Amino acid sequence: MRIKMKTQLDNANESDRRLLCNEYKMFPEQVERDIDILMHWINKTPHLPTLPKNKEGEVRNWLENLLLMNRNSLEKTKDCVDSYFLLRALHPNILLSDSALYSEYYNDVSVVVLEPKAEDGSRILIIGFNSTDPQTFKLQELCQRIRMILEAFLRNKLDFTSFVVILDIRNLVFSHMAQIDLVFLKQVLSLGKKMLPLRIKNVHLLYTASFIEKCILILKPFFSRKIMDRLVHHKSTESLAKSLSSKVLPKDLGGELPDTQYINNEWRNVLRRKSNWFLEDESLVSVESKRSKDNNNDKFSMSSVTGSFRKLCID
């Protein structure tokens, strides 16, 4: 059985999008005007980069998805855009696609989005630790891979407004914690939740070691109470399959799909084909020396972003 990753990235589920757009009162004419407003605001804001004219279609898809993720709020979408370019400026290394896609440790960690979706329509993101050697875990590379996959969805007009996350940490050892730069993690999470306001339905933890509870306590301050309340603990793949469905899980997680490792390599092939796409965008970062005093980023707060008012559109 072969997973058609190209289909997963290139074919949007228009019925799902229409339902969400109707729910948030996002009508086509208004969406186009809002995207125009956002593009004008980006181009006129001194510290934000100039958008490439040859990628206008991708940029418009990206902005439409951000509007969708922010429930049709222009101001929240502006915060998203600002956070996106700020994170890229603060941590340029997470933009280096080659270091992640050609890493010797690539197969020691799995990062995949599955097809099909979960029964509730959420996309399923699996992050799995495949090695007990903590030296093979590179947090920066993990962030690079997650970023590339999510950007591929955003630019292809594919919605992923809600996610079910599966953390397969059966191979995790306590020494893995020493590989985590907590300052980096805090900054990435602080800006990341503004940059991509994903709705996390649940986070399924698959593990057997008792020390995992201690790891969770160490990391608890970095995550919202809402996320912590949505943790679902599993000590077996059977438990995970009962909670979700075997039809939407890989074989190694108690499901019917190909193994996670196979899907992991399929994703690498997809992202490698888009490597030039990512390389061309490495210069798209904020220039903090040009940021106005009225729009400071202390503690990563961008709530003071100003912009145009939207016209009311009545269906």
Side-chain angles (χ1 to χ4, degrees):
M1 179 178 178
R2 185 170 181 79
I3 302 296
K4 296 182 178 180
M5 303 302 294
K6 184 177 186 296
T7 301
Q8 181 180 340
L9 283 177
D10 292 349
N11 291 339
N13 189 326
E14 290 300 331
S15 62
D16 286 353
R17 287 188 72 84
R18 281 196 298 271
L19 286 173
L20 284 169
C21 288
N22 289 335
E23 180 183 346
Y24 302 149
K25 295 181 172 55
M26 291 175 64
F27 309 114
E29 299 83 359
Q30 179 179 314
V31 169
E32 290 303 311
R33 285 198 296 269
D34 288 348
I35 292 173
D36 289 338
I37 288 171
L38 289 167
M39 293 187 71
H40 176 78
W41 167 77
I42 293 171
N43 287 323
K44 294 297 182 180
T45 301
H47 68 275
L48 296 181
T50 302
L51 299 174
K53 292 183 179 179
N54 65 329
K55 293 188 176 182
E56 183 173 344
E58 291 176 14
V59 172
R60 296 186 76 88
N61 287 344
W62 173 59
L63 291 172
E64 181 177 340
N65 260 340
L66 292 184
L67 277 166
L68 195 62
M69 294 167 69
N70 284 286
R71 305 189 182 206
N72 203 21
S73 167
L74 268 176
E75 294 308 310
K76 288 182 180 179
T77 302
K78 288 178 182 178
D79 278 354
C80 248
V81 171
D82 203 352
S83 297
Y84 174 80
F85 291 118
L86 174 58
L87 181 59
R88 294 164 69 96
L90 289 176
H91 296 290
N93 286 338
I94 69 170
L95 305 180
L96 303 177
S97 56
D98 280 0
S99 63
L101 294 178
Y102 295 92
S103 170
E104 62 181 304
Y105 305 120
Y106 182 90
N107 284 318
D108 291 304
V109 177
S110 297
V111 182
V112 304
V113 175
L114 299 179
E115 187 73 19
K117 297 180 181 179
E119 291 180 352
D120 67 354
S122 299
R123 294 194 180 275
I124 300 175
L125 169 67
I126 297 177
I127 300 173
F129 291 78
N130 305 322
S131 172
T132 57
D133 181 0
Q135 297 302 315
T136 66
F137 172 55
K138 310 295 179 184
L139 179 60
Q140 188 169 280
E141 289 184 6
L142 174 61
C143 292
Q144 290 169 347
R145 289 170 61 182
I146 294 173
R147 174 193 67 83
M148 285 186 285
I149 287 176
L150 297 185
E151 284 196 18
F153 277 100
L154 278 171
R155 298 187 194 193
N156 282 273
K157 205 174 181 178
L158 285 169
D159 71 272
F160 53 90
T161 51
S162 63
F163 260 103
V164 170
V165 179
I166 299 173
L167 292 179
D168 181 2
I169 48 179
R170 288 173 293 178
N171 288 314
L172 198 74
V173 297
F174 197 72
S175 298
H176 275 99
M177 296 297 294
Q179 301 299 110
I180 298 177
D181 181 337
L182 295 180
V183 174
F184 172 77
L185 179 65
K186 181 179 180 180
Q187 288 190 335
V188 168
L189 290 175
S190 297
L191 282 172
K193 66 184 179 183
K194 285 189 173 185
M195 182 180 87
L196 290 172
L198 301 174
R199 279 180 280 170
I200 306 297
K201 291 291 187 72
N202 292 109
V203 179
H204 295 266
L205 301 176
L206 178 60
Y207 63 94
T208 54
S210 58
F211 70 82
I212 296 298
E213 283 85 356
K214 294 180 181 178
C215 295
I216 294 172
L217 288 175
I218 293 172
L219 296 176
K220 186 176 180 179
F222 296 91
F223 295 91
S224 69
R225 180 176 178 179
K226 185 183 292 185
I227 290 294
M228 298 306 295
D229 289 342
R230 293 179 182 177
L231 295 182
V232 183
H233 299 253
H234 301 280
K235 295 297 181 69
S236 68
T237 55
E238 291 79 10
S239 170
L240 179 65
K242 284 182 181 179
S243 184
L244 294 170
S245 167
S246 60
K247 294 180 180 179
V248 298
L249 292 173
K251 288 181 180 178
D252 54 304
L253 296 181
E256 301 173 14
L257 300 179
D259 287 344
T260 304
Q261 196 68 277
Y262 175 85
I263 304 173
N264 195 46
N265 281 319
E266 286 291 293
W267 265 110
R268 175 160 58 174
N269 293 335
V270 169
L271 296 175
R272 278 182 175 179
R273 289 196 294 270
K274 295 181 177 294
S275 59
N276 288 337
W277 194 41
F278 294 115
L279 288 170
E280 291 170 3
D281 290 350
E282 287 182 5
S283 62
L284 298 180
V285 300
S286 65
V287 181
E288 292 306 299
S289 61
K290 294 183 179 181
R291 186 184 290 270
S292 68
K293 293 181 179 179
D294 294 333
N295 186 4
N296 67 67
N297 60 328
D298 291 342
K299 296 183 180 179
F300 314 118
S301 174
M302 259 82 58
S303 58
S304 59
V305 177
T306 58
S308 306
F309 285 103
R310 150 195 287 161
K311 291 182 181 178
L312 179 63
C313 180
I314 302 175
D315 188 31

